[in-house]
Amino acid sequence: MKRIRIKEVLQTSGTNQEILVKGWVRTFRNNQFIALNDGSCNNNLQIVVDFNSTPETTLKRITTGACISVVGNLIASQGKGQTVELVCKTLEILGDSDAEKFPLQPKKHSLEFLREIAHLRFRTNTFGAVFRVRNALAFAVHKFFQEKDFVYLHTPIISSSDAEGAGELFRVTNFDIANPPKTENGEVDFKQDFFGKPTNLTVSGQLEGELAAMAFSDIYTFGPTFRAENSNTTRHLAEFWMIEPEMAFFDLNDNMDLAEDLLKYVITYAFTKCHEDIEFLSQRLLEEEKQKPQIERSELSLIEKLRFCLDNEFERVTYTEAIEILKDSNHNKKKKFSYLIDKWGVDLQSEHERYLVEKHFKKPVILTDYPKEIKAFYMRQNDDGKTVGAMDILFPGIGEIVGGSQREERLEKLETRMKEMNIPTEELWWYLDTRRFGACPHSGFGLGFERLVLFVTGMTNIRDVIPFPRTPKNCEF
RNA sequence: UCCUUCUUAGCUCAGCUGGUUAGAGCACAUGACUGUUAAUCAUGGGGUCCCUGGUUCGAGCCCAGGAGAGGGAGCCA
């Protein structure tokens, strides 16, 4: 007999048909009712065991966490709480789970505890929902770009340039670390290393992405990215996934349009595809919020927040306008910011970003045209000589979810800027070649995938939306 | 990395001004019950009070150092 997934079983009505299901026991109540879950959906299938005809030894082995296989008749439920239930004919224990040692109990566990048993947390309602949503979002990203005929490009994981300027790097080597080969000067001799030069894990696929965009017009990458920053926050990981589209002939406005479309598309997809999961997560968040004092609670539920984000245009403001808004805000005048806004040119702190998104506009905000001093070398210089064509998308509760720009395609301006910022032009000769041979205006951005998952699931710690988080001092599993 | 809070049973937490044998709920074991929904009831077992050192007649509690975790900041996606 062919196994049926529980999601499918729950969609049918009980017609006394014989079926086979397999899954893991969530709880065994009353020596009679098994809540069985196989990960296909958040809801469990209730198995009704006849304890009179089932051997005592088998009953004892039906414990939380055990894996079982059940053949039985699917009927309309005799009890409340579910529409159908499976009356057990034969039950086989596929894998025992020692109740004394299995750490998951049929009760609420703290997210911190579950993080320590990340290998088992998939078997909880919350993480089941989170990772099904994550899957839907990842698929939707590909669907969006494929429908638009973008080319999915695999940029390298190992990189030899440290000129990308996007943070601390993880060194890649096969040297004996305790005893690396040295030159006559006593320095580490990288000529003898695997690649013959120092190499690192990638911090961005953007520069390579630009090369491909100068051939395919529209490309995107979606892969892991590594930053060795000593960041201990709820929104940073040492290993995370990033989506980086790069489009020839796109100016900054086209870039913003695409980013906004992408975000709305994938959120809509996950919302439709995983409605029950998001419903569950929304409810979970509501319970969580009840623990907080009234003032800290959010005005909108998760579902309302997602709807609101989908139904409204993102607010587009320039850095200069944002500074004016912040400077004139009562918050600034009453000196409620830790860092007061006094002059044009300062970098915005997260308290300022939060004020703009959560208090002033109350919706996603796209900030554009930042001062060139606080942005990367490759961003296109505006005619005012002060700003660059940058755009950051800020989301409520998350902060920066997208960072992008129109790229500087004019060779002379790019080289000058690189020299000003001490970026070695020789090392990036291949990057500069795109400006030498058939350069064109182009744009792109980076979308932090886990930050997107945070927003859609309503989780608050980024370590809870990636299966096995890598953070400073933590690389378990 | 900085600021801040925390670390007591498998989990969540209480533990008074430093005082005798460190508690509760859940989980687990045993039994009862059997249409339950985190089932219920009874009984029982379960502790390196994060680690190291110090003060004291006496430390879960006070002091110093260390480790880990949460929240906030910086860096960023």
Side-chain angles (χ1 to χ4, degrees):
Chain A
M1 201 186 305
K2 194 166 176 275
R3 174 179 70 97
I4 309 182
R5 300 272 270 166
I6 284 171
K7 182 184 181 182
E8 198 183 319
V9 174
L10 292 176
Q11 281 164 357
T12 62
S13 52
T15 52
N16 205 32
Q17 54 188 326
E18 192 172 80
I19 59 163
L20 164 66
V21 294
K22 297 179 184 184
W24 293 267
V25 176
R26 285 290 172 84
T27 172
F28 185 31
R29 288 184 293 266
N30 221 355
N31 223 4
Q32 190 176 186
F33 302 104
I34 302 169
L36 192 71
N37 190 285
D38 68 358
S40 57
C41 64
N42 209 293
N43 290 319
N44 303 320
L45 174 65
Q46 173 153 291
I47 312 286
V48 186
V49 180
D50 181 1
F51 54 87
N52 290 314
S53 65
T54 313
E56 184 87 358
T57 49
T58 307
L59 286 176
K60 283 264 179 279
R61 292 170 67 194
I62 305 171
T63 55
T64 303
C67 186
I68 63 171
S69 164
V70 181
V71 176
N73 284 328
L74 190 70
I75 60 161
S77 178
Q78 308 293 292
K80 287 171 187 159
Q82 59 279 317
T83 53
V84 293
E85 62 191 16
L86 189 66
V87 178
C88 176
K89 266 190 187 160
T90 57
L91 185 150
E92 190 190 343
I93 309 280
L94 298 177
D96 286 288
S97 174
D98 185 343
E100 215 162 337
K101 291 182 184 146
F102 188 62
L104 289 174
Q105 301 160 17
K107 71 165 218 173
K108 189 176 155 54
H109 286 291
S110 68
L111 294 173
E112 290 82 11
F113 172 64
L114 292 171
R115 223 169 277 153
E116 288 169 19
I117 50 166
H119 59 309
L120 298 172
R121 66 179 178 171
F122 297 121
R123 299 195 203 178
T124 63
N125 286 330
T126 299
F127 286 94
V130 165
F131 290 114
R132 276 188 297 271
V133 170
R134 183 181 166 113
N135 167 67
L137 286 168
F139 182 76
V141 165
H142 286 295
K143 198 163 178 302
F144 174 85
F145 285 119
Q146 292 300 323
E147 283 169 4
K148 289 191 180 310
D149 276 332
F150 278 53
V151 168
Y152 175 35
L153 185 78
H154 293 121
T155 49
I157 304 292
I158 298 173
S159 161
S160 65
S161 88
D162 61 355
E164 289 156 17
E168 295 293 314
L169 305 159
F170 282 106
R171 173 60 42 88
V172 173
T173 180
N174 67 343
F175 276 162
D176 173 5
I177 301 231
N179 189 23
K182 299 271 177 67
T183 61
E184 285 172 11
N185 306 330
E187 288 165 353
V188 175
D189 185 10
F190 285 103
K191 285 206 177 92
Q192 293 185 52
D193 203 351
F194 188 88
F195 294 105
K197 57 168 125 173
T199 49
N200 307 291
L201 291 178
T202 181
V203 292
S204 163
Q206 181 200 317
L207 301 190
E208 290 89 348
E210 285 188 49
L211 312 181
M214 295 300 103
F216 298 106
S217 302
D218 305 299
I219 66 98
Y220 70 106
T221 74
F222 186 178
T225 308
F226 308 88
R227 308 246 169 118
E229 304 286 349
N230 192 3
S231 292
N232 294 287
T233 77
T234 51
R235 52 190 189 286
H236 287 90
L237 291 164
E239 177 184 283
F240 64 99
W241 289 67
M242 190 155 62
I243 297 132
E244 294 181 289
E246 199 65 42
M247 296 75 62
F249 321 118
F250 268 47
D251 66 15
L252 194 65
N253 277 314
D254 301 325
N255 202 21
M256 289 190 275
D257 289 344
L258 185 81
E260 186 168 341
D261 283 351
L262 169 66
L263 285 165
K264 286 180 170 170
Y265 181 98
V266 298
I267 292 168
T268 304
Y269 182 86
F271 200 58
T272 315
K273 179 86 181 171
C274 300
H275 198 77
E276 279 182 10
D277 286 321
I278 290 176
E279 192 82 50
F280 172 85
L281 290 165
S282 189
Q283 204 57 42
R284 196 200 80 87
L285 197 61
L286 219 61
E287 295 291 320
E288 199 99 318
E289 297 253 311
K290 281 185 192 165
Q291 315 287 321
K292 293 191 202 160
Q294 196 89 47
I295 341 144
E296 286 176 34
R297 291 183 202 169
S298 89
E299 298 163 33
L300 301 178
S301 75
L302 173 60
I303 287 185
E304 288 167 331
K305 226 167 64 186
L306 296 178
R307 285 244 165 78
F308 189 79
C309 164
L310 295 175
D311 294 344
N312 289 281
E313 302 271 298
F314 295 1
E315 191 72 36
R316 300 182 185 191
V317 248
T318 64
Y319 167 90
T320 308
E321 287 163 349
I323 288 287
E324 286 307 312
I325 291 167
L326 288 167
K327 216 174 3 179
D328 292 343
S329 70
N330 283 329
H331 224 72
N332 198 51
K333 286 175 183 161
K334 287 182 184 164
K335 307 201 166 170
K336 282 191 187 165
F337 288 128
S338 312
Y339 295 86
L340 293 179
I341 296 287
D342 47 1
K343 61 175 192 295
W344 191 94
V346 293
D347 208 351
L348 298 180
Q349 307 290 317
S350 57
E351 57 175 343
H352 305 130
E353 295 180 351
R354 272 215 308 277
Y355 178 86
L356 289 170
V357 175
E358 289 159 29
K359 295 256 161 52
H360 190 82
F361 291 114
K362 299 192 173 186
K363 56 170 147 171
V365 173
I366 311 183
L367 280 183
T368 64
D369 303 292
Y370 283 79
K372 64 178 179 186
E373 281 75 21
I374 58 174
K375 286 292 179 185
F377 73 90
Y378 49 73
M379 296 191 179
R380 193 174 197 279
Q381 294 164 54
N382 289 330
D383 294 340
D384 61 14
K386 286 160 43 184
T387 60
V388 289
M391 66 105 175
D392 284 1
I393 303 186
L394 311 176
F395 263 35
I398 303 211
E400 189 179 342
I401 195 166
V402 165
S405 67
Q406 184 169 343
R407 318 305 190 190
E408 182 55 81
E409 83 280 11
R410 297 161 296 188
L411 179 63
E412 201 177 313
K413 290 212 175 241
L414 182 58
E415 276 184 323
T416 309
R417 190 74 189 125
M418 285 172 83
K419 276 168 192 153
E420 281 169 8
M421 295 176 76
N422 289 320
I423 310 281
T425 47
E426 318 76 49
E427 202 184 309
L428 290 178
W429 62 272
W430 46 272
Y431 181 69
L432 291 169
D433 259 8
T434 54
R435 274 65 172 172
R436 291 188 184 105
F437 309 118
C440 73
H442 63 289
S443 301
F445 59 85
L447 165 63
F449 186 58
E450 282 76 16
R451 290 187 182 176
L452 172 66
V453 183
L454 270 184
F455 181 71
V456 179
T457 58
M459 301 296 282
T460 49
N461 192 320
I462 202 161
R463 298 165 192 202
D464 294 330
V465 298
I466 189 165
F468 302 104
R470 273 76 178 95
T471 53
K473 298 278 177 329
N474 175 26
C475 193
E476 271 304 308
F477 309 107

